Every structure is written in C-alpha cells, then in structure tokens.
Amino acid sequence: MECIVHFRVMHPEEPKELRGLIMLESGGKPGIDQITDMFKNMGYDVRPDNPEELIFKPIDARADYTYIRVIELDTGEEVYHEDRNLRAILENLLNKH
C-alpha cells in the first residue's frame, strides 16, 4: 500500500511544500521511524521534535531549513490533515500563559 506524505519544509526565505512516498505492508498510517527514513532518503537528516504534531528538526545545525512539518498522510483510504482551526485556537490559548 502506498502512502503519499505531503510536508512543508520551513526555509528562512519561504516554505516549500513537497511530497514523499512510503510503502506500507498493512493498512494504517506510517510510523515516525518510517517518516524519518523517508526524509533521510530525500536528503533531510532529521529527528522527531514533536511526534504528535509530526514536526521534525534537522540534526545538523547548519541545515538551510528550521523544521519540517507533515501536513497530510494520504493512503488512499484514510487521510490525516492538519487541523488549522484547532491549531490556531491552541496557539492562542498557549500564548496567553
């Protein structure tokens, strides 16, 4: 089964939206290790920074990007989308503390 991973690479000048592919043997969505391996195969040497939010930071401090965020996991059956409204509400609540 194929999983198309849509992600945003945050560069200082502007973000870039890209896609990657992960092959899954069973249904469901890929794990953090599979996503990290996909990034490594694409030339992004990253570590999970916030696995719940699917945010990854570069291992090398000299990288030309600050982080990568997965915005969609598409297996053709089940699609994970980033909930922007929920994120905005949480950011507003967290910034008040």
Side-chain angles (χ1 to χ4, degrees):
M1 169 185 269
E2 294 180 352
C3 178
I4 301 170
V5 180
H6 299 261
F7 59 95
R8 186 174 296 126
V9 181
M10 300 305 290
H11 291 276
E13 58 279 354
E14 69 178 278
K16 292 184 182 177
E17 294 199 6
L18 302 170
R19 292 184 300 267
L21 181 67
I22 296 176
M23 299 303 292
L24 301 174
E25 289 189 23
S26 61
K29 62 182 187 178
I32 295 298
D33 291 339
Q34 290 173 302
I35 297 171
T36 304
D37 288 344
M38 179 203 70
F39 286 138
K40 191 170 194 168
N41 291 335
M42 296 177 76
Y44 295 106
D45 196 11
V46 296
R47 62 174 170 74
D49 184 60
N50 185 334
E52 295 82 30
E53 295 288 325
L54 297 176
I55 296 174
F56 299 82
K57 295 263 179 141
I59 291 174
D60 186 351
R62 298 171 293 172
D64 65 346
Y65 59 96
T66 53
Y67 67 93
I68 296 176
R69 175 160 191 156
V70 174
I71 53 177
E72 182 179 322
L73 296 172
D74 181 2
T75 61
E77 297 173 358
E78 181 180 330
V79 178
Y80 160 85
H81 289 284
E82 171 186 35
D83 188 338
R84 293 181 184 172
N85 293 331
L86 178 59
R87 180 170 174 78
I89 291 169
L90 290 174
E91 285 178 352
N92 283 331
L93 290 173
L94 292 175
N95 288 335
K96 291 182 180 181
H97 295 284

